Amino acid sequence: MEGRSNRRDRRVRSVETQNPGSGGREQLLAACGDCFGLCCVALPFARSADFAADKPAGKPCGNLQADFRCGIHDRLRDRGYQGCTVFDCFGAGQKVSQVTFGGTDWRAEPKSAGTMFAVFPVMRQLHELLWYADEALRLTAARPVHRDLRRAYDRIDGLTRQSAEAVLALDVGALRGEVNELLLRASELVRARIPGRKRNHRGADLMGARLAGADLRGASLRGALLVAADLSGADLRGADLIGADLRDADLSGADLTDSIFVTQAQLNAARGTAATRLPAGLERPRHW
């Protein structure tokens, strides 16, 4: 992933608490050096604007090297693999590699390959839930739901440390529903502190929408389709962007200060400039 291999979280926010998820944010950041290239093997991709070739699930990408590193990591976009630069496993890769399978890779133990590749996408979903719960635990305005969020975090963190068979048997959809309810309450508490009328575009189809300079302070853009939308100069301070599709969205000069639940992958998928203001701790993508 672009700019994420060994990045350590340096996020410091005015709304941050001193009690993030007990597992620590570090475990939710991809550490590709501790992973067996799982995203390059387990997941399928089709030839498109995001990928230069077809690859079925379970087959190693042609760019994967013997040391499980990408041979074109620094040239992914130039070589037609833009999709790789916007993928984030939230640390699931190293969890499966080093914890679930105890550091034994699929090349050394071919019989484990199928199970390892099946566990990875499930673990990725669990780690994504942990990331969002950890994010909510850093928001002081969401303190009324911190107790429930911490319980949810600790429960899911424990599930990620079970056997491969136990992980595969989980009802991730049910877990997602439970956590999402808490995240929604956290979002409402945070956005309620922002004065003025707040727009509700939850799940809206805003593909290609002209929103240049729009006042979207405290707006709900949860799950909104914002592909190729013009958000240049938009005020997104305090907006909830969880799950919003920002592929090719224009964030030039937009203000995302204290926007909540924004991920690095969302920024990597969008377009922006040096004038785009980002939430503290997230990095300006190299292609901007």
Side-chain angles (χ1 to χ4, degrees), residues 173-194:
L175 288 171
R176 186 176 293 277
E178 294 172 14
V179 175
N180 188 59
E181 182 178 339
L182 297 175
L183 297 177
L184 181 58
R185 289 168 58 192
S187 172
E188 292 171 343
L189 288 166
V190 171
R191 293 184 297 110
R193 293 192 173 189
I194 299 173

Side-chain angles (χ1 to χ4, degrees), residues 212-274:
D215 183 355
L216 295 169
R217 286 175 295 175
S220 174
L221 292 163
R222 297 170 64 88
L225 183 64
L226 288 160
V227 177
D230 182 2
L231 288 161
S232 58
D235 191 342
L236 291 156
R237 288 177 292 173
D240 182 347
L241 287 162
I242 192 169
D245 191 339
L246 294 173
R247 285 177 296 165
D248 204 34
D250 186 358
L251 295 175
S252 301
D255 189 350
L256 285 81
T257 305
D258 288 334
S259 295
I260 57 176
F261 302 128
V262 183
T263 67
Q264 188 66 48
Q266 285 174 303
L267 296 181
N268 289 349
R271 294 180 290 120
T273 63

Side-chain angles (χ1 to χ4, degrees), residues 16-22 133-134 136-139 143 146 150:
E16 183 176 323
T17 73
Q18 298 302 313
N19 295 301
S22 58
D134 179 271
L137 284 165
R138 296 168 184 266
L139 303 171
R143 194 178 298 278
H146 279 185
R150 188 168 300 285

